[in-house]
Amino acid sequence: MRLTFNMQFNQSLNGILNAQQRMTKAESQLSKQTRILSPADDPAGAAKVLSLDQSKTQIEQYQTNSALLKNNLALQETVLTSMRTSYDRISTLAIASGNGTYSLEQRRAVAFELQNIQTELFDLMNTRAADGSYIFAGYQDKSPAYERDPNSGVFVFKGDDGSRALQISQSISLPGNDSGKAIFDSVFVRFQPQLSAAPAGSSLEVSNQTAFDNFYRANFDNLNPLNNQYSLQIDAAGTYQLLQNGSALTPPFSGSYIAGQQINFNGLAFNLDPATTLPTQVDFELPAPTQTNVLNTLQRYIDILNDPLATADDLAKALADTLQQVTATANNVDGSLANLGGRLNVVDSVFNTNADLLITNQQYKADISEVDLAAALTEIKRQEVALQAASQTFQKVNATTLFDYIR
């Protein structure tokens, strides 16, 4: 009988403990708003919730990257837009100062304003982001993109052509900066022929830059320098022809020379002294292309404007160089701005898509793991009734004595 009593006592006690445990679990599910308190509650659901949490963390990091990328691109867009305005001002000042009517004092006044614009451009080309990095220095963004050599006064690009990309989705990464090398330094010095030999009083000028640029790009030979050697030969009878590396062009370029008249060829103007004795020839070559940045181009024009000994020809050549290189740089900036606009559109689109994915992720997770409020309250009430019943049973068993069994 004692054994039976102990068994009844243990069963009643276990009933209370189990009811309390179920009651505690129901209350925890309600307070934590989840029905999966441990993987044992729903192994498959727990695995899905873990996967959804990992996906959420990843998407949130993409959103952080998107915000950072958008800020970087917006900063670069602001800087380039400001620079674009400066290029237009440079062109306006250069054209005005190169018309031949300005006095030396007026030219120096223009040079002073151009000097200020140059300083402003130099500062903008060394713009730093909020984290202190130089946005146009490529991967070398801990040091300035541009420096001025203290000895020569030449502006030198010190960065590289890299760009740091940020991942904004599983398959999309976009560069957050553009190298100054591509925007500001990839500008060819104005194409010009290099006179090798000519009779006294003769000159060779570029009369049509566009036509000569087309000729240069189509004919410059980087592999065989001899093919860049040209000669305008005029025989004793006044018949001229143009030779390339000693051979006539195909189709040939020839005609009759009239003393005092220009000979024009693909944007080039040959001017010979009318007193030149025939036969004669003018030798020139196409020099290798070189690149520079707008800061150095601007400095050369400023020096010419300040030089009291500069001739009209010096001013005209410096003006042509400045306008060509400023225009080319402005075109690079326009291209960069268009590219920036495209990247900003992609960032906005991906950001909105990721925001939708986060909402979907949360809804799916809720469907799997969130507790139903009505069901949770009902379960708590049910477990409360069960606990009361178990407690009452335990009280009866605990009050039973040996005399009750003897009866």
Side-chain angles (χ1 to χ4, degrees):
M1 288 188 296
R2 184 175 182 179
L3 179 61
T4 302
F5 174 79
N6 287 337
M7 289 178 61
Q8 289 179 342
F9 180 85
N10 289 335
Q11 287 174 353
S12 298
L13 181 60
N14 289 336
I16 291 176
L17 295 175
N18 290 334
Q20 286 179 333
Q21 185 178 19
R22 290 191 296 270
M23 180 80 169
T24 300
K25 180 179 180 180
E27 289 175 341
S28 296
Q29 287 176 330
L30 181 62
S31 63
K32 296 180 180 180
Q33 290 293 299
T34 178
R35 64 179 186 82
I36 304 177
L37 298 176
S38 69
D41 294 335
D42 183 354
K48 290 180 180 179
V49 168
L50 179 61
S51 176
L52 289 171
D53 286 340
Q54 291 174 341
S55 177
K56 178 185 176 184
T57 300
Q58 187 179 52
I59 294 174
E60 287 175 342
Q61 183 59 56
Y62 290 150
Q63 295 296 75
T64 301
N65 290 352
S66 294
L68 179 60
L69 179 60
K70 187 170 183 177
N71 288 337
N72 290 345
L73 295 179
L75 173 61
Q76 184 172 316
E77 183 179 38
T78 300
V79 171
L80 291 179
T81 300
S82 178
M83 296 176 77
R84 187 63 179 81
T85 302
S86 296
Y87 295 143
D88 290 338
R89 181 58 180 164
I90 292 172
S91 297
T92 300
L93 290 172
I95 292 172
S97 62
N99 61 14
T101 63
Y102 273 30
S103 65
L104 179 60
E105 289 73 18
Q106 289 174 312
R107 283 163 44 188
R108 285 177 173 172
V110 172
F112 179 76
E113 184 173 351
L114 290 176
Q115 190 82 55
N116 290 332
I117 294 175
Q118 182 193 55
T119 301
E120 179 188 5
L121 290 175
F122 181 62
D123 289 341
L124 290 173
M125 290 158 77
N126 283 327
T127 296
R128 304 175 74 172
D131 61 358
S133 61
Y134 291 87
I135 65 175
F136 294 118
Y139 293 130
Q140 312 301 319
D141 57 2
K142 301 306 178 186
S143 57
Y146 282 86
E147 294 180 359
R148 190 170 194 179
D149 189 293
N151 298 318
S152 64
V154 175
F155 294 90
V156 181
F157 178 67
K158 306 297 286 187
D160 57 34
D161 56 2
S163 60
R164 299 188 181 279
L166 287 174
Q167 196 83 20
I168 60 173
S169 76
Q170 189 171 358
S171 59
I172 299 177
S173 64
L174 294 174
N177 67 301
D178 292 312
S179 169
K181 183 177 182 180
I183 303 174
F184 312 120
D185 262 56
S186 298
V187 178
F188 286 108
V189 174
R190 185 168 64 95
F191 297 142
Q192 299 182 71
Q194 183 173 318
L195 198 61
S196 305
S202 301
S203 65
L204 176 59
E205 301 173 351
V206 177
S207 58
N208 185 321
Q209 191 66 54
T210 301
F212 179 70
D213 287 350
N214 293 335
F215 171 77
Y216 181 96
R217 291 190 177 95
N219 292 276
F220 177 77
D221 193 335
N222 190 47
L223 300 177
N224 186 1
L226 292 177
N227 287 333
N228 298 320
Q229 305 291 331
Y230 291 83
S231 294
L232 177 68
Q233 295 184 348
I234 307 176
D235 62 20
T239 300
Y240 66 80
Q241 65 172 337
L242 192 66
L243 305 180
Q244 178 187 25
N245 192 17
S247 301
L249 300 181
T250 303
F253 177 77
S254 60
S256 297
Y257 169 66
I258 300 175
Q261 289 190 359
Q262 281 185 347
I263 298 176
N264 295 289
F265 170 76
N266 282 322
L268 292 178
F270 296 86
N271 295 289
L272 280 71
D273 190 318
T276 300
T277 303
L278 303 182
T280 189
Q281 71 180 53
V282 178
D283 297 331
F284 69 96
E285 64 177 306
L286 303 181
T290 58
Q291 292 181 327
T292 187
N293 62 67
V294 70
L295 297 176
N296 292 323
T297 300
L298 198 53
Q299 186 60 52
R300 285 191 292 272
Y301 193 61
I302 290 170
D303 292 340
I304 288 290
L305 291 175
N306 284 322
D307 186 0
L309 301 179
T311 65
D313 185 57
D314 294 334
L315 185 61
K317 289 182 178 179
L319 174 62
D321 290 341
T322 301
L323 292 178
Q324 186 269 334
Q325 288 162 42
V326 167
T327 299
T329 305
N331 290 339
N332 286 350
V333 169
D334 289 341
S336 296
L337 286 171
N339 187 279
L340 283 173
R343 275 181 276 172
L344 284 169
N345 289 338
V346 172
V347 172
D348 287 338
S349 176
V350 172
F351 187 90
N352 292 334
T353 299
N354 285 339
D356 292 340
L357 288 175
L358 285 174
I359 295 174
T360 302
N361 178 293
Q362 189 63 32
Q363 290 176 341
Y364 187 26
K365 180 181 177 181
D367 292 341
I368 296 172
S369 64
E370 278 192 9
V371 66
D372 180 83
L373 183 60
L377 292 173
T378 301
E379 178 65 15
I380 290 175
K381 189 64 178 177
R382 189 171 70 86
Q383 295 303 331
E384 183 180 2
V385 172
L387 179 60
Q388 290 175 351
S391 297
Q392 292 173 358
T393 301
F394 179 78
Q395 289 174 357
K396 289 182 179 180
V397 171
N398 195 37
T400 303
T401 65
L402 181 60
F403 294 102
D404 295 318
Y405 285 96
I406 294 176
R407 291 176 197 166

